[in-house]
Amino acid sequence: MKIQISVKNFNFFYGKFQALRDINFEIPERQITAIIGPSGCGKSTFIRSFNRMNDLIASVSTKGEIILDGENILELDPVTLRKKIGMVFQRPNPFPKSIYENVAYGPRAHGIKNKNQLDEIVEKSLKDSFLWDEVKKDLNKSGLSLSGGQQQRLCIARALAVEPEIILMDEPASALDPIATLKIEELMQELKQKYTIVIVTHNMQQAARASDYTAFFNMLPDRAGYLVEHDFTQKIFTNPKEKITEDYISGRFG
Amino acid sequence: MSRKLFSQKIQNIKDEVLLLGSMVEEAVHKSVNALKMRDAKLAKQIYQHDIELNDKRFSIENAILIVIATQQPMARDLRELASMLDVISELERMGDYAKGIAKVAVKLENVELKIPIKEIETMAELAIGMLHKALTAFINEDAKTAAQIPYEDDAVDRIYEDVYHKAVELMMSDPSNVDNSNLIIWVGHNLERLADRVTNICERTVFIATGELMELEVDEEDDKLEFE
């Protein structure tokens, strides 16, 4: 299994508050890695560090390394980095633009101007996100006119359009109904043929159904998040090594 | 520890499994007694008993499926529930063995035959003892004890050989005994199988504790020596 991202002694601070402590973690390429853990354990902070979303927050500081393709993410130019790492959020957040423009936005920002080329990228991205058949006749309609599940797949298409290596998903289905949720999970299985996926989820059944690897995060007494256990998903959900993982996944936490 | 209601549901199912086990123990005990006393009336009670035993097994199975469907058990809880599904089907089969012995008791009610009843009673005692210990270990999730119980099967196998040889001697002494002596071998065989199935329960106990499915194989050598 090739490793795509190596996290080495990663520590994260909001001012004086330490949100993550000494995280060591390897994320395999073209696999789905789920991150689970109680609220406040730093799961979102952790994956937001991968594409430097936390840079926007003042007083944030980090220690350690997150290595992608031999380079430390924490020292890269965020624009270059975000071409490699796309992100999908909890609530679908299409731009208030047409379906077409939502998907073409990224490639345009990276300098592609040729209309035919953009058409191709839009079609391919919408096909890859399982949305094409539902919207191919309405590409000029507003992205906001779609249903929640379709909007989320539009956001995935938008992320795919810049051909990233990694897709980060922060609770991508928590605002969706069960059918739309299963569609996203099936889509993830297709996407992992080409992309490495890291998903944060509160829904343990979703982690169990949809991921290959699961990492369980918890909080230390000073509320700093740490990695308890990282293993094959089937191992975590049938016979985890740590008692605290067992307590969490069987709903007996605390 | 949260999930009180869920834990209580699992505990209730465990109690039912234990009850099913004691029904089996009673059925085996009664069936051998019926054979000893040549008591066809007692033996026929066991037929009725077997119907109740099968019903109990289905109601436990149903309760387990409902908990799996509604509570999404994980890890140890899931291993426990899946193992109980297996254990109740083992117990149900053991009940069938008791019924088989009861049938023999009915057939031999008025037959003059020197049944090696001491040996059969000892086999039954040993097998029931193994079952009792195995179920106690299962309910207490005591893998260490469970892993030891299959060794006791050797004693049951040895007595089975005695029963077999005595039945054959009866056949040789008087060919008109062949049919009835064959029934005696069946009784021994049923008790021998029952003890074997106890090993399967022990394997589930180890599985719950360790997460590993493995055979508790102890008698490879003895397999070769049987009936020589």
Side-chain angles (χ1 to χ4, degrees):
Chain A
M1 190 64 61
K2 202 183 152 213
I3 299 304
Q4 177 108 53
I5 302 176
S6 293
V7 180
K8 292 178 183 168
N9 297 318
F10 184 64
N11 288 270
F12 188 100
F13 304 84
Y14 292 108
K16 280 182 186 160
F17 171 66
Q18 182 158 15
L20 291 168
R21 176 167 295 139
D22 296 334
I23 311 284
N24 286 284
F25 191 18
E26 289 187 327
I27 294 176
E29 185 184 55
R30 294 184 189 185
Q31 298 282 311
I32 300 170
T33 299
I35 300 175
I36 60 171
S39 294
C41 72
K43 333 180 265 298
S44 292
T45 297
F46 182 61
I47 72 162
R48 283 160 174 266
S49 303
F50 288 12
N51 70 344
R52 303 262 299 272
M53 291 289 291
N54 299 314
D55 283 16
L56 301 171
I57 305 164
S59 83
V60 157
S61 61
T62 60
K63 268 194 247 165
E65 295 180 323
I66 301 177
I67 307 291
L68 167 68
D69 299 334
E71 291 179 289
N72 186 358
I73 281 174
L74 305 172
E75 291 163 1
L76 279 180
D77 162 42
V79 177
T80 319
L81 176 65
R82 286 177 199 151
K83 188 175 180 317
K84 288 187 176 184
I85 305 185
M87 187 150 186
V88 177
F89 298 87
Q90 182 169 2
R91 296 212 155 262
N93 56 351
F95 301 136
K97 291 169 179 286
S98 72
I99 293 168
Y100 183 97
E101 286 304 323
N102 261 281
V103 184
Y105 188 88
R108 271 210 183 103
H110 286 98
I112 296 174
K113 296 204 172 69
N114 182 300
K115 173 83 168 91
N116 288 342
Q117 207 181 341
L118 283 172
D119 286 355
E120 261 174 49
I121 291 171
V122 169
E123 180 172 342
K124 186 170 180 306
S125 305
L126 288 169
K127 278 182 172 163
D128 283 354
S129 68
F130 288 1
L131 190 59
W132 177 250
D133 288 341
E134 293 162 54
V135 301
K136 62 186 171 193
K137 295 196 184 86
D138 305 311
L139 293 178
N140 293 320
K141 271 173 76 173
S142 166
L144 297 168
S145 69
L146 298 172
S147 73
Q150 288 172 325
Q151 286 188 17
Q152 196 61 306
R153 281 179 284 143
L154 178 62
C155 294
I156 292 172
R158 187 176 65 191
L160 300 182
V162 297
E163 298 185 309
E165 293 173 28
I166 297 155
I167 301 169
L168 306 173
M169 297 181 159
D170 193 353
E171 294 271 359
S174 64
L176 306 182
D177 72 25
I179 304 292
T181 297
L182 288 175
K183 274 193 183 156
I184 298 286
E185 289 175 14
E186 271 181 31
L187 174 57
M188 287 164 62
Q189 298 304 318
E190 289 298 317
L191 294 176
K192 80 168 198 184
Q193 312 294 329
K194 294 186 203 162
Y195 309 96
T196 299
I197 298 175
V198 185
I199 175 174
V200 164
T201 177
H202 270 121
N203 181 337
M204 276 181 290
Q205 271 69 42
Q206 180 168 61
R209 279 193 304 265
S211 71
D212 302 300
Y213 293 84
T214 296
F216 172 55
F217 278 52
N218 192 23
M219 269 177 285
L220 292 161
D222 66 353
R223 304 185 55 79
Y226 73 108
L227 174 67
V228 177
E229 189 170 353
H230 173 219
D231 212 325
F232 291 109
T233 293
Q234 58 181 44
K235 172 89 173 133
I236 293 282
F237 286 97
T238 58
N239 195 15
K241 281 193 208 87
E242 302 296 331
K243 180 163 187 313
I244 193 157
T245 311
E246 168 110 24
D247 286 349
Y248 184 73
I249 59 157
S250 60
R252 294 195 175 84
F253 201 71
Chain B
M1 207 62 114
S2 60
R3 292 201 89 178
K4 223 171 149 186
L5 198 69
F6 174 54
S7 301
Q8 189 55 52
K9 282 179 185 187
I10 293 186
Q11 189 55 48
N12 291 348
I13 295 172
K14 278 177 150 183
D15 289 347
E16 288 291 289
V17 172
L18 212 51
L19 181 59
L20 183 67
S22 63
M23 286 167 77
V24 171
E25 288 173 24
E26 193 191 337
V28 176
H29 186 73
K30 268 189 181 169
S31 68
V32 171
N33 227 5
L35 183 68
K36 182 184 182 182
M37 303 300 184
R38 309 288 173 107
D39 184 345
K41 207 173 139 205
L42 177 62
K44 281 179 181 163
Q45 280 176 21
I46 293 158
Y47 296 4
Q48 182 55 40
H49 201 97
D50 194 52
I51 294 170
E52 290 162 24
L53 209 144
N54 292 347
D55 285 348
K56 171 73 73 192
R57 177 257 171 115
F58 286 136
S59 79
I60 296 173
E61 183 168 348
N62 205 30
I64 292 171
L65 292 178
I66 289 170
V67 171
I68 290 175
T70 57
Q71 302 290 326
Q72 287 89 43
M74 293 288 185
R76 180 183 276 260
D77 298 326
L78 182 60
R79 295 203 298 276
E80 219 167 77
L81 288 162
S83 294
M84 284 196 279
L85 278 178
D86 195 74
V87 167
I88 58 172
S89 93
E90 295 293 349
L91 291 172
E92 190 262 335
R93 289 305 301 271
M94 291 180 189
D96 290 345
Y97 293 141
K99 189 180 166 189
I101 296 169
K103 278 184 179 169
V104 172
V106 171
K107 284 191 177 170
L108 296 184
E109 186 184 14
N110 298 310
V111 175
E112 277 291 325
L113 185 75
K114 204 177 166 310
I115 300 174
I117 194 70
K118 268 270 153 284
E119 287 82 351
I120 288 172
E121 276 186 301
T122 311
M123 270 186 94
E125 264 169 43
L126 288 173
I128 291 171
M130 282 174 72
L131 174 60
H132 195 84
K133 272 191 256 178
L135 281 175
T136 308
F138 181 77
I139 296 300
N140 296 333
E141 296 171 20
D142 177 357
K144 217 173 142 204
T145 303
Q148 290 306 311
I149 295 167
Y151 288 98
E152 298 177 24
D153 190 38
D154 288 355
V156 178
D157 289 347
R158 275 199 298 276
I159 305 171
Y160 176 39
E161 281 191 58
D162 281 354
V163 171
Y164 175 83
H165 288 301
K166 286 194 168 146
V168 171
E169 275 167 27
L170 287 170
M171 291 177 189
M172 290 197 296
S173 66
D174 181 354
S176 68
N177 283 337
V178 166
D179 277 351
N180 292 329
S181 292
N182 193 32
L183 294 174
I184 297 305
I185 294 175
W186 267 109
V187 170
H189 179 77
N190 278 5
L191 293 170
E192 186 268 334
R193 294 300 304 145
L194 193 148
D196 273 356
R197 283 177 182 273
V198 170
T199 299
N200 298 342
I201 295 176
C202 297
E203 285 168 1
R204 294 295 142 175
T205 306
V206 172
F207 171 60
I208 292 173
T210 65
E212 278 187 59
L213 283 166
M214 57 173 169
E215 277 204 79
L216 297 174
E217 192 80 74
V218 291
D219 59 358
E220 264 171 48
E221 281 301 302
D222 289 356
D223 282 350
K224 288 183 208 141
L225 297 172
E226 257 170 53
F227 310 123
E228 276 174 8

